[in-house]
CSV table of all heavy atoms in Angstrom, one decimal:
chain,number,residue,atom,x,y,z
A,112,GLU,N,152.2,109.7,80.1
A,112,GLU,CA,153.4,110.6,80.3
A,112,GLU,C,154.6,109.8,80.9
A,112,GLU,O,154.5,108.7,81.5
A,112,GLU,CB,153.0,111.7,81.3
A,112,GLU,CG,151.8,112.5,80.8
A,112,GLU,CD,152.2,113.4,79.6
A,112,GLU,OE1,153.4,113.5,79.3
A,112,GLU,OE2,151.3,113.9,78.9
A,113,GLU,N,155.8,110.4,80.8
A,113,GLU,CA,157.0,109.8,81.3
A,113,GLU,C,157.1,110.0,82.8
A,113,GLU,O,156.9,111.2,83.2
A,113,GLU,CB,158.3,110.4,80.6
A,113,GLU,CG,159.5,109.6,81.0
A,113,GLU,CD,160.7,110.2,80.3
A,113,GLU,OE1,160.6,111.3,79.7
A,113,GLU,OE2,161.7,109.5,80.1
A,114,VAL,N,157.3,109.0,83.6
A,114,VAL,CA,157.5,109.2,85.0
A,114,VAL,C,158.7,108.4,85.5
A,114,VAL,O,159.3,107.6,84.9
A,114,VAL,CB,156.3,108.6,85.8
A,114,VAL,CG1,154.9,109.2,85.4
A,114,VAL,CG2,156.1,107.1,85.4
A,115,GLU,N,159.1,108.8,86.7
A,115,GLU,CA,160.3,108.2,87.3
A,115,GLU,C,159.8,107.4,88.5
A,115,GLU,O,159.1,107.9,89.4
A,115,GLU,CB,161.3,109.3,87.8
A,115,GLU,CG,162.5,108.7,88.5
A,115,GLU,CD,163.5,109.8,89.0
A,115,GLU,OE1,163.3,110.2,90.1
A,115,GLU,OE2,164.4,110.1,88.2
A,116,VAL,N,160.1,106.2,88.6
A,116,VAL,CA,159.6,105.3,89.6
A,116,VAL,C,160.8,104.8,90.5
A,116,VAL,O,161.8,104.3,90.0
A,116,VAL,CB,158.9,104.1,89.0
A,116,VAL,CG1,158.4,103.1,90.2
A,116,VAL,CG2,157.8,104.5,88.2
A,117,LEU,N,160.7,105.0,91.8
A,117,LEU,CA,161.7,104.6,92.8
A,117,LEU,C,161.2,103.4,93.5
A,117,LEU,O,160.2,103.5,94.3
A,117,LEU,CB,162.1,105.7,93.7
A,117,LEU,CG,163.2,105.4,94.7
A,117,LEU,CD1,164.5,105.0,94.1
A,117,LEU,CD2,163.4,106.5,95.7
A,118,MET,N,161.7,102.2,93.2
A,118,MET,CA,161.3,101.0,93.8
A,118,MET,C,161.8,100.8,95.3
A,118,MET,O,162.9,101.4,95.6
A,118,MET,CB,161.7,99.8,92.9
A,118,MET,CG,161.2,99.9,91.5
A,118,MET,SD,159.4,99.8,91.4
A,118,MET,CE,159.2,98.1,91.9
A,119,ARG,N,161.2,100.1,96.0
A,119,ARG,CA,161.6,99.8,97.5
A,119,ARG,C,163.0,99.0,97.4
A,119,ARG,O,163.7,99.0,98.4
A,119,ARG,CB,160.6,99.1,98.2
A,119,ARG,CG,159.4,99.9,98.5
A,119,ARG,CD,158.4,99.2,99.5
A,119,ARG,NE,157.2,100.1,99.7
A,119,ARG,CZ,157.1,101.0,100.5
A,119,ARG,NH1,158.2,101.4,101.2
A,119,ARG,NH2,156.0,101.7,100.6
A,120,ASP,N,163.2,98.2,96.4
A,120,ASP,CA,164.5,97.5,96.4
A,120,ASP,C,165.7,98.3,95.8
A,120,ASP,O,166.8,97.8,95.6
A,120,ASP,CB,164.3,96.3,95.4
A,120,ASP,CG,163.9,96.5,94.1
A,120,ASP,OD1,164.0,97.7,93.6
A,120,ASP,OD2,163.6,95.7,93.3
A,121,GLY,N,165.4,99.6,95.6
A,121,GLY,CA,166.5,100.5,95.2
A,121,GLY,C,166.6,100.9,93.8
A,121,GLY,O,167.3,101.8,93.4
A,122,ARG,N,165.9,100.1,93.0
A,122,ARG,CA,165.9,100.4,91.5
A,122,ARG,C,165.2,101.6,91.2
A,122,ARG,O,164.2,102.1,91.8
A,122,ARG,CB,165.2,99.2,90.7
A,122,ARG,CG,166.0,97.9,90.7
A,122,ARG,CD,165.2,96.9,89.9
A,122,ARG,NE,163.9,96.6,90.5
A,122,ARG,CZ,162.9,96.1,89.7
A,122,ARG,NH1,163.0,96.0,88.4
A,122,ARG,NH2,161.8,95.9,90.3
A,123,LYS,N,165.6,102.3,90.1
A,123,LYS,CA,165.0,103.5,89.6
A,123,LYS,C,164.7,103.3,88.2
A,123,LYS,O,165.6,103.0,87.3
A,123,LYS,CB,165.9,104.8,89.8
A,123,LYS,CG,165.2,106.1,89.3
A,123,LYS,CD,166.3,107.2,89.4
A,123,LYS,CE,166.6,107.6,90.8
A,123,LYS,NZ,167.5,108.8,90.9
A,124,LEU,N,163.4,103.4,87.8
A,124,LEU,CA,162.8,103.1,86.5
A,124,LEU,C,162.3,104.4,85.9
A,124,LEU,O,161.6,105.1,86.7
A,124,LEU,CB,161.8,102.0,86.6
A,124,LEU,CG,162.2,100.7,87.3
A,124,LEU,CD1,161.0,99.7,87.3
A,124,LEU,CD2,163.4,100.0,86.6
A,125,THR,N,162.6,104.6,84.7
A,125,THR,CA,162.0,105.7,84.0
A,125,THR,C,161.3,105.2,82.8
A,125,THR,O,161.9,104.6,81.9
A,125,THR,CB,163.1,106.8,83.6
A,125,THR,OG1,163.8,107.3,84.7
A,125,THR,CG2,162.4,107.9,82.9
A,126,GLY,N,159.9,105.5,82.7
A,126,GLY,CA,159.2,104.9,81.6
A,126,GLY,C,157.9,105.6,81.4
A,126,GLY,O,157.6,106.7,82.0
A,127,ILE,N,157.0,105.0,80.6
A,127,ILE,CA,155.6,105.6,80.3
A,127,ILE,C,154.7,104.9,81.2
A,127,ILE,O,154.5,103.8,81.3
A,127,ILE,CB,155.3,105.4,78.8
A,127,ILE,CG1,156.4,105.9,77.9
A,127,ILE,CG2,154.0,106.0,78.5
A,127,ILE,CD1,156.7,107.5,78.1
A,128,LEU,N,153.9,105.9,81.9
A,128,LEU,CA,152.9,105.4,82.8
A,128,LEU,C,151.6,105.0,82.1
A,128,LEU,O,151.2,105.6,81.2
A,128,LEU,CB,152.5,106.6,83.8
A,128,LEU,CG,151.4,106.3,84.8
A,128,LEU,CD1,151.9,105.2,85.8
A,128,LEU,CD2,151.1,107.6,85.5
A,129,GLY,N,151.2,103.8,82.5
A,129,GLY,CA,149.9,103.2,81.9
A,129,GLY,C,148.8,103.3,82.9
A,129,GLY,O,148.8,104.2,83.8
A,130,ALA,N,147.8,102.5,82.7
A,130,ALA,CA,146.6,102.4,83.6
A,130,ALA,C,147.0,102.1,85.0
A,130,ALA,O,147.9,101.3,85.3
A,130,ALA,CB,145.6,101.5,83.0
A,131,ALA,N,146.2,102.6,85.9
A,131,ALA,CA,146.5,102.4,87.3
A,131,ALA,C,145.2,102.0,88.0
A,131,ALA,O,144.1,102.4,87.7
A,131,ALA,CB,147.1,103.7,88.0
A,132,ASP,N,145.3,101.2,89.1
A,132,ASP,CA,144.1,100.8,90.0
A,132,ASP,C,144.7,100.8,91.4
A,132,ASP,O,145.7,101.2,91.8
A,132,ASP,CB,143.5,99.6,89.5
A,132,ASP,CG,144.4,98.4,89.5
A,132,ASP,OD1,145.4,98.4,90.2
A,132,ASP,OD2,144.2,97.5,88.7
A,133,GLU,N,143.8,100.2,92.3
A,133,GLU,CA,144.1,100.2,93.7
A,133,GLU,C,145.3,99.3,94.0
A,133,GLU,O,146.0,99.5,95.0
A,133,GLU,CB,143.0,99.7,94.5
A,133,GLU,CG,141.7,100.7,94.5
A,133,GLU,CD,141.9,101.9,95.2
A,133,GLU,OE1,142.9,102.0,96.0
A,133,GLU,OE2,141.2,102.9,95.1
A,134,GLU,N,145.6,98.4,93.2
A,134,GLU,CA,146.7,97.4,93.3
A,134,GLU,C,148.0,97.9,92.8
A,134,GLU,O,149.1,97.7,93.5
A,134,GLU,CB,146.4,96.1,92.7
A,134,GLU,CG,145.2,95.4,93.3
A,134,GLU,CD,145.4,94.9,94.7
A,134,GLU,OE1,146.5,94.6,95.0
A,134,GLU,OE2,144.4,95.1,95.4
A,135,GLY,N,148.0,98.6,91.7
A,135,GLY,CA,149.3,99.1,91.1
A,135,GLY,C,149.0,99.8,89.8
A,135,GLY,O,148.0,100.3,89.5
A,136,PHE,N,150.1,99.8,89.0
A,136,PHE,CA,150.0,100.6,87.7
A,136,PHE,C,150.9,99.9,86.7
A,136,PHE,O,151.9,99.3,87.1
A,136,PHE,CB,150.4,102.0,87.9
A,136,PHE,CG,151.7,102.3,88.5
A,136,PHE,CD1,152.9,102.4,87.7
A,136,PHE,CD2,152.0,102.3,89.9
A,136,PHE,CE1,154.1,102.6,88.2
A,136,PHE,CE2,153.2,102.4,90.4
A,136,PHE,CZ,154.3,102.6,89.5
A,137,ASP,N,150.6,100.1,85.4
A,137,ASP,CA,151.4,99.7,84.3
A,137,ASP,C,152.5,100.6,84.0
A,137,ASP,O,152.3,101.8,84.0
A,137,ASP,CB,150.5,99.4,83.0
A,137,ASP,CG,149.4,98.3,83.3
A,137,ASP,OD1,149.7,97.4,84.0
A,137,ASP,OD2,148.4,98.5,82.7
A,138,LEU,N,153.7,100.1,83.7
A,138,LEU,CA,154.8,100.8,83.3
A,138,LEU,C,155.5,100.2,82.1
A,138,LEU,O,155.8,99.0,82.2
A,138,LEU,CB,155.7,101.1,84.5
A,138,LEU,CG,156.9,102.0,84.3
A,138,LEU,CD1,156.5,103.5,84.2
A,138,LEU,CD2,158.0,101.9,85.3
A,139,THR,N,155.9,101.0,81.2
A,139,THR,CA,156.6,100.5,80.0
A,139,THR,C,158.0,101.3,80.0
A,139,THR,O,158.0,102.5,80.0
A,139,THR,CB,155.9,100.7,78.7
A,139,THR,OG1,154.7,100.1,78.7
A,139,THR,CG2,156.7,100.2,77.6
A,140,TRP,N,159.1,100.6,80.0
A,140,TRP,CA,160.4,101.2,80.1
A,140,TRP,C,161.4,100.5,79.2
A,140,TRP,O,161.2,99.3,78.9
A,140,TRP,CB,160.9,101.5,81.5
A,140,TRP,CG,161.4,100.2,82.2
A,140,TRP,CD1,162.7,99.8,82.3
A,140,TRP,CD2,160.6,99.3,82.9
A,140,TRP,NE1,162.7,98.6,83.0
A,140,TRP,CE2,161.5,98.3,83.4
A,140,TRP,CE3,159.2,99.1,83.1
A,140,TRP,CZ2,161.0,97.2,84.1
A,140,TRP,CZ3,158.8,98.0,83.8
A,140,TRP,CH2,159.7,97.1,84.3
A,141,THR,N,162.4,101.2,78.8
A,141,THR,CA,163.5,100.6,78.0
A,141,THR,C,164.8,100.6,78.7
A,141,THR,O,165.2,101.6,79.3
A,141,THR,CB,163.6,101.4,76.6
A,141,THR,OG1,162.3,101.4,76.0
A,141,THR,CG2,164.6,100.8,75.8
A,142,THR,N,165.6,99.5,78.5
A,142,THR,CA,166.9,99.4,79.1
A,142,THR,C,167.8,98.9,77.9
A,142,THR,O,167.5,98.3,77.0
A,142,THR,CB,167.0,98.4,80.2
A,142,THR,OG1,166.5,97.1,79.7
A,142,THR,CG2,166.1,98.8,81.4
């Protein structure tokens, strides 16, 4: 699904959520 990600460095990414684990998650987005 499409998600909005707010990074700690201030960036805002909107993309497709991929697999996730304890360390992190995959995200695909277009700029």
Side-chain angles (χ1 to χ4, degrees):
E112 301 289 346
E113 188 176 21
V114 295
E115 181 183 86
V116 181
L117 182 60
M118 305 295 293
R119 292 190 183 278
D120 60 10
R122 288 183 298 155
K123 183 184 292 186
L124 308 175
T125 302
I127 304 301
L128 179 64
D132 56 26
E133 296 291 344
E134 295 296 324
F136 57 92
D137 295 330
L138 186 73
T139 303
W140 72 98
T141 302
T142 58

